[in-house]
Amino acid sequence: MNEPVPSAADRSGPCDLRVLWDDRLITYDFGPGHPMNPVRVELTMALAREYGVLDQPNVEVAPVEPAGEALLELIHDPAYIAAVRHAGSTGLPVPRHGLGTPDNPVFIGMHEASALVTGASVAAAEAVWTGRTSHAANIAGGLHHAMRSAASGFCVYDDPAIAIAWLLEHGAERVAYVDVDVHHGDGVQTAFYDDPRVLTISLHETPRTLFPGTGFPQECGTGEARGMAVNVALPPGTGDAAWLRAFHAVVPQLLRAFRPQVLLTQHGCDSHRLDPLAHLMLSVDGQRAAYAALHRLAHEVAGGRWIITGGGGYELVQVVPRAWTHLLAEAAGRPIDPATATPEPWREFVRKRTLEIAPAVMSDLPPDRSGGDPLEVPAWASGYDPANPVDQAILATRKAVFPEHGLDPLTEA
């Protein structure tokens, strides 16, 4: 028995989408040679514009203001914020706060750039929560590793966690966070590990082989929040069908049981097979299928209230711009046919900006398979293979958290 992932034709109608953007967002820049080069965001916005995604009548591109101290302090310690300010104004490292490491080198203007990223995610949350729009996106956001008092994993301020904290401060009682980055969303999990109002779900490469070394299924929350931290730790080499099988065996069931008022998702595309920092084997097509599934779930379980952030992704030309352009188009309710050729002006811009050859089409699949056909995903209900490491990972997660939500880990489809 197979569970098809819907194609563009299975989803109907445009959706209101507010895209938070300011050209200053590309000043979040750790410098030459650092994997998190902001050109990836620049190329994404250029590709989305070429396709007309941002020009649709249901899409608004909105300005961004930096987060102030009160917002940052919803998650971060004041002494840490002061350290970021100091490092960003002097260029001097502050090792006890993780500032000045190879992952998080200091750069001038660090506080201002990081606060702007956070401001965009909070503005997205505010727009969705107040009903100004149904969906809102900050593709420069998703900095999910930052901790209360330390930078970590290319992340200075934890914008998804701050956006969730803002929602809680303004009356939200149930917020769901789904993180599909190849790295465990440890900063967000830590921020809400004992808070039963927040369900965090992270699908990532096993911490046995990848930073940050956390995200085992047994990390499932504490106290009244037991079962509210969910971790699907997948083996290296996991590809599209197996990853989507894991997603569909865990995420929809928990979201339906939790019934969030709003869904916030982090879309790191470093799960791609070309990503230089990790070991999963997804294609842009598999990632696109995940975006479609999350869009559908936002409407099913959260009344359409969907906040979208970017995240990791270090294949700067071949992967990130296509993946996140698909994401924005999906959120707007106007998916791009994956067989579509990339626009020639964009390819020329890529050549001039990066000296690289841009991808020719919006799919990684062969031409005979890239025309929007659904990926066939074996459903969990079709049976469990005890010798399969992906099935082992799925079952470990289901056993750890499903009972806490009144769900049977063995039989729940």
Side-chain angles (χ1 to χ4, degrees), residues 75-89:
I75 292 295
H76 294 291
D77 185 84
Y80 172 62
I81 299 167
V84 174
R85 281 188 179 276
H86 177 75
S89 62

Side-chain angles (χ1 to χ4, degrees), residues 85-405:
R85 281 188 179 276
H86 177 75
S89 62
T90 64
L92 298 175
V94 189
R96 69 180 179 279
H97 290 296
L99 300 168
T101 66
D103 275 3
N104 289 87
V106 169
F107 62 92
I108 298 299
M110 174 181 276
H111 167 78
E112 291 76 14
S114 304
L116 193 67
V117 173
T118 299
S121 290
V122 173
E126 181 178 8
V128 168
W129 185 244
T130 58
R132 192 174 306 152
T133 186
S134 56
H135 307 338
N138 171 24
I139 61 163
L143 307 180
H144 60 167
H145 293 307
M147 296 293 180
R148 176 169 175 77
S149 295
S152 177
F154 314 161
C155 305
V156 177
Y157 295 141
D158 197 321
D159 63 285
I162 293 169
I164 293 169
W166 183 94
L167 289 166
L168 299 176
E169 287 277 310
H170 287 79
E173 297 175 345
R174 294 182 310 282
V175 179
Y177 171 79
V178 179
D179 186 321
V180 300
D181 195 290
V182 77
H183 301 91
H184 177 225
D186 57 337
V188 182
Q189 174 180 287
T190 299
F192 303 106
Y193 202 63
D194 60 355
D195 193 331
R197 298 173 297 173
V198 181
L199 173 69
T200 64
I201 305 176
S202 178
L203 295 93
H204 49 265
E205 183 178 332
T206 174
R208 291 188 174 90
T209 56
L210 195 67
F211 174 91
T214 58
F216 290 99
Q218 296 74 24
E219 299 168 32
C220 56
T222 188
E224 294 183 1
R226 182 166 179 78
M228 302 304 291
V230 180
N231 290 294
V232 186
L234 296 165
T238 299
D240 287 337
W243 191 99
L244 289 164
R245 173 174 166 84
F247 177 98
H248 287 290
V250 173
V251 178
Q253 298 86 338
L254 292 171
L255 290 181
R256 290 167 186 151
F258 183 59
R259 298 179 299 109
Q261 295 162 297
V262 61
L263 175 64
L264 193 156
T265 54
Q266 196 268 20
H267 294 272
C269 52
D270 39 9
S271 58
H272 194 277
R273 61 187 179 230
L274 294 181
D275 196 273
L277 300 188
H279 316 96
L280 297 191
M281 296 294 288
L282 273 69
S283 68
V284 165
D285 304 271
Q287 293 172 333
R288 178 178 56 86
Y291 307 156
L294 287 166
H295 188 184
R296 190 170 66 252
L297 284 165
H299 285 282
E300 177 188 344
V301 305
R305 289 178 289 273
W306 188 22
I307 302 158
I308 301 153
T309 68
Y314 309 102
E315 211 316 314
L316 308 173
V317 172
Q318 302 301 318
V319 175
V320 179
R322 290 188 298 158
W324 287 351
T325 296
H326 275 306
L327 174 62
L328 292 172
E330 173 64 44
R334 300 177 182 272
I336 296 169
D337 186 330
T340 304
T342 54
E344 180 58 37
W346 181 75
R347 282 184 253 168
E348 180 63 16
F349 176 64
V350 169
R351 186 187 67 80
K352 291 180 177 178
R353 185 68 180 82
T354 68
L355 302 180
E356 292 191 34
I357 298 174
V361 295
M362 290 294 285
S363 172
D364 288 333
L365 297 177
D368 62 340
R369 290 191 57 212
S370 64
D373 294 332
L375 295 165
E376 293 294 327
V377 179
W380 184 254
S382 66
Y384 160 67
D385 180 357
N388 184 297
V390 172
D391 279 13
Q392 292 169 8
I394 294 168
L395 187 58
T397 299
R398 288 170 65 108
K399 284 183 174 180
V401 297
F402 270 35
E404 303 295 336
H405 295 267

